[in-house]
Amino acid sequence: MKYDVVVIGGGAAGLMCAIEAGKRGRKVLVLEHQERLGKKILISGGGRCNFTNINAGPDNYLSANPHFCKSALARYRPADFIGLVERHGIAYHEKKLGQLFCDVTSRQIVELLEQEARLAGVTVRLGARVSETKVAGGFQLTTNLGEFAADSLVVATGGLSAPKIGATDFGFRLAQQLGHSVNATRPGLVPVTWGPEDRDSYGPLSGISLEVTATAGGRSFTENLLFTHRGLSGPAILQVSNYAEPGQSIELDLLPGRPAAELLAAERNTAKELRNVLAMRLPQRFTQEWCARNAPSKPMNRYTPAELAVIAGRLHHWEIRPAGTEGYATAEVTCGGVDTREVSSKTMESRRVPGLYFIGEVLDVTGWLGGYNFQWAWASGHAAGQFV
């Protein structure tokens, strides 16, 4: 069957693109290989979908081509999607740092998209697996549901994160098959793991959380850190994981905004143990283990000023070197992807194959934790939907 536009992928970006194209009177088909639409939307935000961030802007995204995302983000802003949410009567709230969540359930966002797609005349085929794609006077797709043809083909297949809900490398393979470069991919917004020695020391601290400033690759984030049996997680670690190259260390400030030197100086002439002084500001179990590894505890009045200065420096610049990450199984996004230098930033159309478009996570554009990746999905999908 012939369509004006075939969108491969029924997630956030693909549905937004299909809706916008349908509104323009285009005959649109969405092919989704899962048995329902928007599975990643459904599990996001603990089931309440962090659907955007009111602060979203180009500085919140990582890419080998950092200017690429500017045009789409400027033309479809968080306020635009918020307006859509409000028109559908979906109650929402700001959790923190501009992060917007549904009050009730993420299913409301999927239902919003499904309703908008129906109103726009979009056809959706579920359980559709594409086995062959040919370019010849348009696009011909062979699937388990039959043959489809289109003037425009949109690749909205997502990345490699969350394989348990069906994520695959299909989009990257298709891009390469059609002549596109794919920048190296790796898990993003992902917990890091300890090496054996650190795991023995810090693994028993699983469940402890504290506020830190985490720094890697020139980027810093001040949020909570969470100890796990395997390593470190929590927003601060997930954020900085996007910028920590494999093998690179992460620096942690354990007392952000609180001068360690002043804390130590205030107890300089007492007989209190260092670990107990630090426990005034940090979890006690953590201070005991941290001191054992980084600053053997003794009464404060037995430290020299020079020793206390060194300890203060370590508290603000604790360097850890993860053994790795937990991988795509727990990653929220994929860093890397289709090289955006080969894609128009205005239309999302390929510069190599006319009529071919890439949107969402399949592109080398990765947002911070907190609704930024959904905003990129909406913005890139909207941009392509105006031109396909």
Side-chain angles (χ1 to χ4, degrees):
M1 184 174 290
K2 176 69 184 298
Y3 289 85
D4 296 323
V5 184
V6 170
V7 179
I8 305 178
L15 290 173
M16 177 61 81
C17 177
I19 290 163
E20 292 302 313
K23 287 178 181 178
R24 294 173 44 237
R26 304 288 279 165
K27 184 180 179 182
V28 183
L29 171 67
V30 173
L31 296 177
E32 168 56 47
H33 76 288
Q34 299 278 26
E35 296 306 320
R36 70 172 305 172
L37 295 172
K39 289 192 74 172
K40 199 167 184 181
I41 299 173
L42 292 171
I43 67 168
S44 67
R48 292 195 176 181
C49 189
N50 181 189
F51 58 81
T52 193
N53 193 298
I54 60 176
N55 301 314
D59 289 344
N60 306 117
Y61 295 84
L62 174 69
S63 175
N65 181 14
H67 298 293
F68 176 81
C69 65
K70 291 181 177 179
S71 176
L73 290 171
R75 287 180 288 129
Y76 194 83
R77 300 177 181 274
D80 296 312
F81 193 76
I82 293 169
L84 183 59
V85 168
E86 291 177 345
R87 288 196 296 276
H88 281 257
I90 299 173
Y92 65 91
H93 62 278
E94 181 181 349
K95 189 173 181 181
K96 63 175 182 177
L97 302 174
Q99 302 169 11
L100 300 188
F101 289 77
C102 297
D103 283 357
V104 181
T105 173
S106 55
R107 287 196 302 274
Q108 294 171 292
I109 299 298
V110 176
E111 289 166 358
L112 174 159
L113 295 168
E114 289 174 335
Q115 184 176 341
E116 290 288 326
R118 285 193 297 270
L119 291 172
V122 174
T123 299
V124 175
R125 301 294 297 273
L126 300 174
R129 293 178 293 279
V130 179
S131 58
E132 187 176 15
T133 303
K134 294 180 180 179
V135 183
F139 300 88
Q140 286 78 45
L141 285 75
T142 301
T143 80
N144 60 311
L145 302 181
E147 304 281 333
F148 301 99
D151 297 322
S152 297
L153 177 65
V154 183
V155 181
T157 50
L160 297 165
S161 57
K164 287 184 179 179
I165 61 168
T168 73
D169 65 349
F170 176 82
F172 302 133
R173 288 188 284 109
L174 180 59
Q176 291 174 322
Q177 174 195 327
L178 298 178
H180 273 265
S181 304
V182 176
N183 294 337
T185 58
R186 58 185 174 85
L189 300 179
V190 63
V192 300
T193 56
W194 296 119
E197 182 180 358
D198 287 333
R199 184 169 58 247
D200 290 344
S201 297
Y202 299 118
L205 301 181
S206 177
I208 288 178
S209 177
L210 60 150
E211 185 182 65
V212 302
T213 296
T215 301
R219 286 283 190 166
S220 298
F221 299 89
T222 302
E223 290 200 58
N224 281 351
L225 168 154
L226 175 68
F227 285 86
T228 73
H229 291 297
R230 296 179 296 274
L232 292 175
S233 186
I237 294 299
L238 299 185
Q239 295 280 37
V240 84
S241 72
N242 281 4
Y243 297 90
E245 297 291 339
Q248 181 183 358
S249 63
I250 295 173
E251 183 180 280
L252 300 175
D253 181 350
L254 298 173
L255 295 167
R258 294 171 289 181
E262 293 182 10
L263 171 66
L264 298 177
E267 306 293 339
R268 167 73 178 83
N269 296 315
T270 72
K272 294 179 182 177
E273 286 275 330
L274 171 64
R275 62 175 177 264
N276 293 330
V277 170
L278 296 182
M280 297 164 58
R281 297 289 187 274
L282 297 164
Q284 185 173 25
R285 286 171 55 209
F286 169 72
T287 63
Q288 291 174 346
E289 197 58 55
W290 187 86
C291 285
R293 292 286 302 274
N294 298 279
S297 183
K298 58 185 178 182
M300 293 295 293
N301 56 18
R302 292 176 56 188
Y303 289 102
T304 67
E307 288 173 327
L308 291 177
V310 170
I311 293 169
R314 289 176 180 170
L315 287 165
H316 287 303
H317 305 280
W318 181 31
E319 189 173 287
I320 62 169
R321 190 174 295 277
T325 74
E326 291 191 4
Y328 290 113
T330 57
E332 297 206 13
V333 293
T334 302
C335 293
V338 175
D339 191 337
T340 59
R341 290 170 294 189
E342 301 171 359
V343 178
S344 166
S345 63
K346 180 180 179 181
T347 67
M348 303 292 133
E349 185 176 14
S350 165
R351 298 186 186 280
R352 296 181 178 273
V353 183
L356 176 64
Y357 296 76
F358 296 96
I359 56 175
E361 192 181 348
V362 75
L363 286 164
D364 178 19
V365 177
T366 306
W368 291 3
L369 182 73
Y372 296 98
N373 287 291
F374 273 123
Q375 186 57 34
W376 172 243
W378 313 135
S380 61
H382 182 272
Q386 307 306 304
F387 292 94
V388 291

